[in-house]
Amino acid sequence: MAVPCQVSEAHDATELRRVPGRDQVDADWLLGLLEARPLPAGAVAMGITALDLAIPIFTFVFGRARELGHAALVSAARLAPEFYGLAPNAALTLHRAVIEVVHELGHVGGLRHCAMRPA
Ligand SMILES: [Zn+2]
């Protein structure tokens, strides 16, 4: 099934809100920016960033979304092997990003986490 997509302009990285005391972007703040963008009825804003994301109660997050919301956010920063000192692997990073996008879109569709996967 084909899904129509539209690529929008990136947010100005000089205005990012950081989690206090950390060099990580506040994921909930960035998700809020996505949610504030006007969208056609039934559309979902899917934000993808190379920035490392976190929220105050977690040391990092791979992504964020609200159940039954209309926006989701994914960070590719920790999906890349080189983040952990390993050799770059673009195919693996892309594979992980697709999994994370589907995960976050599941939340937008109303799904919660199962007991096997925290956060
Ligand atoms: Zn989740």
Side-chain angles (χ1 to χ4, degrees), residues 103-104 107 113 117 119:
H103 175 100
E104 298 306 335
H107 290 312
H113 293 136
R117 186 184 184 280

Side-chain angles (χ1 to χ4, degrees), residues 72-85:
L73 175 64
V74 165
S75 166
R78 293 176 186 257
L79 301 177
E82 54 267 40
F83 184 89
Y84 307 97

Side-chain angles (χ1 to χ4, degrees), residues 10-11 30 34 45-51 53 62 72-77 79 94 97-98 100-101:
H11 183 76
L30 195 51
L34 283 172
M46 181 73 243
I48 301 174
T49 181
L51 297 166
L53 302 177
F62 290 116
L73 175 64
V74 165
S75 166
L79 301 177
L94 178 60
V98 169
E100 185 57 24
V101 165

